[in-house]
């Protein structure tokens, strides 16, 4: 083990890795700080450009982008009361009140420390639990794997987005898209419609770029152009006093507790950073001392809790990805796509077959936290220039990069057309209230679910009873049934509400 860790350290701490990690962190911070954009867009945009990189370099860069984007969202939340990411909504409550009081620098420093320490806490938990969970996962066979994936898809479809039913429909559509191409067992064409380019299935890059990046660009371009008042330099004086060591030390217990809550939330597929921030923020408000500034009224405690809570999900959402190959949130799903592109298969066998690679991923997570701390202070100094970028110039540039990135991956013009087709599909989904992310996760996990089900039926001679004879399988199927029951009950309750869907009023 120590030998593997030593090799992993040497693999990560190279000039090329450090360079791309620094660049990735800067990109993530900027994308997170620009309202309307986020780390998911940045990762989806840059995945194609990692195709020609060494797998370790690519992973280090993408990890840095994800972590940087998570903190970057707190910058416009504090300064403009415009959360750069949904999870920064709770940071904005106290952060912007401190900005109006002339303490924006103090608020941003607390957000940075809370984000870094909360993230570091979850990374350490990931390192401690990954090996035991991977060993346990090795005992999981095709029936258990199929049941776990089914339950995960239900959770992701239900939790991602505001409408559970629409989330499930989007996930089911992703499963359907995952069947396109040659059958895994019979090698017959399925839904290719005679198009040779689809025989190997729908390419991952055009789909992710289209549904995530291009659709977001279309949605942003449709919105009203940013007013001149929003684009002018910030009126807030940034030379205010920064955070003191005493203030940081006072909030350390709060950060650790919030990080623990965020870690727990992030380990459950589909819950995400926004819920982590909400739970941590609510607990900070409930347990705050009476002699402090109330949380919600310009409190450093509220900022620390919200940032530690949402950032702590970054490491723990990698737990199901590393141990079972199941993404826990948006970024983890994109990491899964990146791993697949580079020939890396996350899951229990990763620990036994490629331990050096796994430890290198862990070390890169720790490294990214230190990079975020250093570059975060630089961003705070330069923030007025970052927020002044005009979306009318930025969004077309992102679209151009998406086209170049897609073409650079396969050099197929067909893939560019496919990207725009998925972009239009993603835009239509957003307009209709659907979230594209469950579709992407369903697409990535669909072949794994199909493989698990068909292998199980092959083992049992076509008898479905095998799914109800194994304790782990039966347990996850029961959880899936309970989830479906809760969804149906929720929808029926909504229909009975006056003015609700399907009501007579």
């Amino acid at each position: 083990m120590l030998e593997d860790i030593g090799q992993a350290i040497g693999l990560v701490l190279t000039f090329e890795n450090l360079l791309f990690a620094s660049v990735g962190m800067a990109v993530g911070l900027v994308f997170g700080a620009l309202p309307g954009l986020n780390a998911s867009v940045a990762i989806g945009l840059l995945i194609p450009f990692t195709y020609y990189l060494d797998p370790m370099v690519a992973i280090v860069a993408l990890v840095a982008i994800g972590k940087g984007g998570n903190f970057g969202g707190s910058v416009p939340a504090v300064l403009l009361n415009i959360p750069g990411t949904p999870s920064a909504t709770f940071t904005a409550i106290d952060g912007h009140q401190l900005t109006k009081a002339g303490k924006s620098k103090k608020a941003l420093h607390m957000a940075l420390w809370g984000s870094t320490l909360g993230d570091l806490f979850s990374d350490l938990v990931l390192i401690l639990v990954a090996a035991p969970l991977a060993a346990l996962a090795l005992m999981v066979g095709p029936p258990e794997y199929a049941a776990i994936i089914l339950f995960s898809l239900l959770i992701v479809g239900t939790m991602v987005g505001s409408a559970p039913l629409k989330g499930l429909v989007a996930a089911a559509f992703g499963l359907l898209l995952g069947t396109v191409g040659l059958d895994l067992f019979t090698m017959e064409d399925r839904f290719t419609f005679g198009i040779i380019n689809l025989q190997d299935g729908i390419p991952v890059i055009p789909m992710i770029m289209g549904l995530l990046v291009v659709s977001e660009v279309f949605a942003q371009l449709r919105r009203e152009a940013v007013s001149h008042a929003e684009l002018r330099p910030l009126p807030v004086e940034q030379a205010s006093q920064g955070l003191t060591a005493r203030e940081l030390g006072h909030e350390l217990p709060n950060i650790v507790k919030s990080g623990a809550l965020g870690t727990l939330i992030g380990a459950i597929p589909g819950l995400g950073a926004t819920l982590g921030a909400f739970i941590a923020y609510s607990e900070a408000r409930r347990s705050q001392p009476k002699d402090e500034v109330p949380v919600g009224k310009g409190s450093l405690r509220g900022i620390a809790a919200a940032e530690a809570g949402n950032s702590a999900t970054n490491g723990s959402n990698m737990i199901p990805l590393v141990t079972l190959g199941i993404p826990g949130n948006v970024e983890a799903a994109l990491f899964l796509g990146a791993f697949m592109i580079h020939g890396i298969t996350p899951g229990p066998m990763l620990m036994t077959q490629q331990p050096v690679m796994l430890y290198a991923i862990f070390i890169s997570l720790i490294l990214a936290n230190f990079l975020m701390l250093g570059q975060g202070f630089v961003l705070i100094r330069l923030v007025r220039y970052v927020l002044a970028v005009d979306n009318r110039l930025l969004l077309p540039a992102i679209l151009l990069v998406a086209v170049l990135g897609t073409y650079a991956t396969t050099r197929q013009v067909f893939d560019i057309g496919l990207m725009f087709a998925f972009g239009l599909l993603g835009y239509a989904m957003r307009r209709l209230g659907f979230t594209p992310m469950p579709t992407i996760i369903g697409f990535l996990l669909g072949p794994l679910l199909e493989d698990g089900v068909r292998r199980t039926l092959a083992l049992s001679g076509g008898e479905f009873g095998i799914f109800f004879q194994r304790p782990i399988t039966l347990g996850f199927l029961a959880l899936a049934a309970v989830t479906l029951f809760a969804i149906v009950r929720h929808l029926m309750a909504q229909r009975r509400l006056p003015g609700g869907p399907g009501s007579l009023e």
Side-chain angles (χ1 to χ4, degrees), residues 11-22 54 56-58 60:
L11 190 62
V12 172
L13 298 181
T14 64
F15 175 77
E16 188 178 15
N17 279 339
L18 294 175
L19 175 62
F20 277 90
S22 298
D54 179 82
M56 192 65 247
V57 177
V60 168

Side-chain angles (χ1 to χ4, degrees), residues 453-477:
V453 171
R454 294 177 74 167
R455 285 182 184 275
T456 301
L457 294 178
L459 290 172
S460 66
E463 293 292 332
F464 280 92
I466 189 174
F467 287 104
F468 304 98
Q469 296 171 0
R470 300 165 72 117
I472 297 178
T473 307
L474 185 60
F476 277 99
L477 289 178

Side-chain angles (χ1 to χ4, degrees), residues 299-367:
S299 166
L300 289 175
R301 180 181 179 85
I303 296 174
E307 282 301 302
N310 71 50
S311 296
T313 61
N314 287 338
S316 58
N317 67 49
M318 296 284 283
I319 293 175
L321 178 64
V322 170
T323 58
L324 295 171
I326 297 173
N329 72 346
V330 177
E331 283 78 18
L334 295 175
F335 287 144
L336 175 60
F339 288 154
M340 293 169 63
I341 291 171
H342 289 281
I344 302 171
T345 304
M349 298 306 295
L350 184 62
M351 177 67 75
T352 57
Q353 295 178 349
Q354 296 178 287
V356 175
M357 175 64 74
L358 185 61
Y359 285 123
I361 293 173
F362 292 159
I363 294 170
S364 68
L365 290 170
I366 302 295
L367 172 65

Side-chain angles (χ1 to χ4, degrees), residues 55 63 155 157 477:
V63 164
I155 291 294
L477 289 178

Side-chain angles (χ1 to χ4, degrees), residues 358-442:
L358 185 61
Y359 285 123
I361 293 173
F362 292 159
I363 294 170
S364 68
L365 290 170
I366 302 295
L367 172 65
N369 289 320
F370 290 101
L371 288 175
M372 180 169 68
L373 191 62
Q375 294 191 23
F377 284 115
V378 176
L379 175 67
I380 291 172
R381 289 178 174 273
L382 302 177
V383 70
R384 65 172 65 239
Y385 304 107
V386 174
L387 295 178
V389 177
D390 192 336
N391 277 2
R392 290 168 293 185
L393 299 176
L394 178 66
L395 296 176
I398 290 175
L399 202 58
L400 177 61
V401 173
V403 171
L404 294 175
T406 299
Y407 182 75
T409 305
T410 59
R411 301 188 184 277
Q412 296 285 336
V413 177
F414 175 82
D415 287 349
I416 297 176
L418 196 63
M419 180 191 73
F420 277 104
F422 275 110
L424 292 173
L425 174 64
Y427 175 72
M429 291 175 67
R430 293 171 189 265
R431 294 282 292 152
L432 294 173
F434 289 87
T435 303
M437 205 58 228
T439 299
I440 295 176
I441 295 177

